[in-house]
Amino acid sequence: LVGQLQCRSIFVADAHPPHTREFTSYPKHCVIGTAESEVISELQPYVEELFHKNSTNAFFSEAFREFLNEDFYYYNDFIITGCCSDICILQFALCLQAYLNEHNECDKRVIVPLNCIDTYHIEGVHDAMENNAFAIQNMSANGIHIVSEIKE
């Protein structure tokens, strides 16, 4: 629509079968039919569409691939938020940025607001500060727009 801002709110949630390959790398989580595989109640009012994924990378979700084929070209900015900045966010942002590069989509941007991402901390196993810093630097080095926050 000319003169109007089009915004689409798509949520992506892990939804794993009880025995999935990803569980060889990460603890069992977000099994289909459990509360973990659902969007938290505080964010439910903002869900316009929900895509499910069975890997750490939303780019390979069947629903996202359909979006790429059908609606992708209507949008210029792709704002990515969520948890696991160094796993899910990083992988999705890098793949989406590579897709834009491959197709010379110079007017489109991948944007990651810092106040809307984070990762987990397990002492001696996964340092949140180090992993966040690595992910943010990696995304920035690959042309992803890192911003402190999104304002209307």
Side-chain angles (χ1 to χ4, degrees):
L1 300 171
V2 177
Q4 290 185 333
L5 177 65
Q6 247 186 336
C7 184
R8 186 171 175 182
S9 178
I10 300 171
F11 280 67
V12 179
D14 278 17
H16 300 293
H19 303 287
T20 190
R21 187 174 194 277
E22 186 174 306
F23 297 160
T24 63
S25 301
Y26 302 102
K28 197 173 197 177
H29 63 282
C30 301
V31 174
I32 295 169
T34 67
E36 278 188 358
S37 68
E38 303 299 324
V39 175
I40 62 171
S41 60
E42 293 87 350
L43 294 176
Q44 283 291 336
Y46 305 101
V47 177
E48 293 175 13
E49 292 178 76
L50 177 61
F51 296 171
H52 289 99
K53 65 182 180 79
N54 183 39
S55 78
T56 54
N57 192 338
F59 195 85
F60 297 103
S61 158
E62 186 68 32
F64 184 75
R65 303 299 283 189
E66 289 174 16
F67 168 78
L68 279 178
N69 292 327
E70 297 169 11
D71 297 328
F72 178 75
Y73 293 97
Y74 295 118
Y75 302 94
N76 291 325
D77 291 334
F78 300 88
I79 301 168
I80 301 174
T81 66
C83 57
C84 294
S85 55
D86 58 314
I87 304 169
C88 301
I89 300 298
L90 176 66
Q91 290 179 21
F92 182 47
L94 290 175
C95 282
L96 185 53
Q97 183 71 3
Y99 183 87
L100 297 179
N101 292 346
E102 177 66 23
H103 296 281
N104 288 315
E105 292 290 345
C106 298
D107 295 333
K108 296 185 184 301
R109 302 182 300 174
V110 177
I111 302 169
V112 175
L114 293 176
N115 70 330
C116 295
I117 63 168
D118 207 348
T119 195
Y120 63 95
H121 183 83
I122 299 174
E123 194 65 41
V125 175
H126 189 266
D127 186 278
M129 295 280 287
E130 286 179 9
N131 284 289
N132 266 330
F134 166 77
I136 292 162
Q137 189 279 330
N138 192 340
M139 288 186 283
S140 180
N142 281 282
I144 294 161
H145 296 272
I146 306 297
V147 298
S148 59
E149 63 183 318
I150 299 292
K151 294 181 182 181
E152 285 189 58

